[in-house]
Amino acid sequence: METVKERLLEFLKQEGISKVAFARKMGLSDAYVSTMRKSLPEEKVVKMTQMFPRLNRDWLMYGEGDMYLPEEVEVDAGLNDYFVPLLPVQAFAGSLQEYSEGIDENRCLRIATPVKGADMAIPISGDSMEPEIHNGSVAVITRINEAAFIPWGNPMVLDTENGVLIKVLRESKKGPKYIEAVSYNPAYSPLDIPKSSIYGIYRINCILRQISTM
């Protein structure tokens, strides 16, 4: 199952819920699942994981791990596991921007997140990922091993030599040495980014509209 839609359908089958019943439970049109694109907007993912707390978000969005979370999750690290540094560098959704290097994590503001064990958070600026990801929100992110696997078709954070940005990642027509970075907003053209210019790729754990600090 390569797409979010395919995994969603498999989850509904496992739960014994019809597409129409699921749509109504989510407050969507009856035909939403049948006509949806390959992915889901962040706010719908959040609502779905609230309604189905054992659903593994990473499995749904990226195909990682099992469909269900363990029934019992051991909490052993305390409250600090839910606080991450908010880096003073924006993920410019509109275009590549100069990246601020040499950030001292100990001097960063720390914010509360609804997910455990994320690496960091960064503010988002620009409208190229509208209407799915909004200007002024905050992305909570975790670095992936891009050499092993890149979850194509999902919005990710790219840390590049020219800046930090959020885009949907696709395989580039220019070949395996490039990554195509695509905006949700059709006003922005896709970018072909050389893999050699990428410092790191981060998956989005969640998007925050409002943040609290520690």
Side-chain angles (χ1 to χ4, degrees), residues 189-209:
S189 300
L191 303 171
D192 284 296
I193 302 175
K195 288 183 178 179
S196 60
S197 72
I198 297 174
Y199 298 140
I201 300 178
Y202 296 78
R203 76 170 182 232
I204 300 174
N205 298 93
C206 62
I207 299 292
L208 305 177
R209 298 285 186 87

Side-chain angles (χ1 to χ4, degrees), residues 35-50:
T35 59
M36 69 176 280
R37 295 178 295 179
K38 291 183 179 180
S39 191
L40 281 168
E42 177 64 25
E43 59 268 22
K44 291 182 174 59
V45 175
V46 171
K47 185 174 181 179
M48 187 175 176
T49 54
Q50 290 173 343

Side-chain angles (χ1 to χ4, degrees), residues 66-100:
D66 298 324
M67 180 186 297
Y68 292 100
L69 297 170
E71 291 188 14
E72 295 182 1
V73 178
E74 183 179 356
V75 179
D76 57 5
L79 182 62
N80 283 335
D81 278 358
Y82 294 90
F83 281 81
V84 296
L86 176 65
L87 300 190
V89 56
Q90 291 180 317
F92 287 89
S95 61
L96 296 175
Q97 300 286 334
E98 182 177 359
Y99 178 66
S100 298

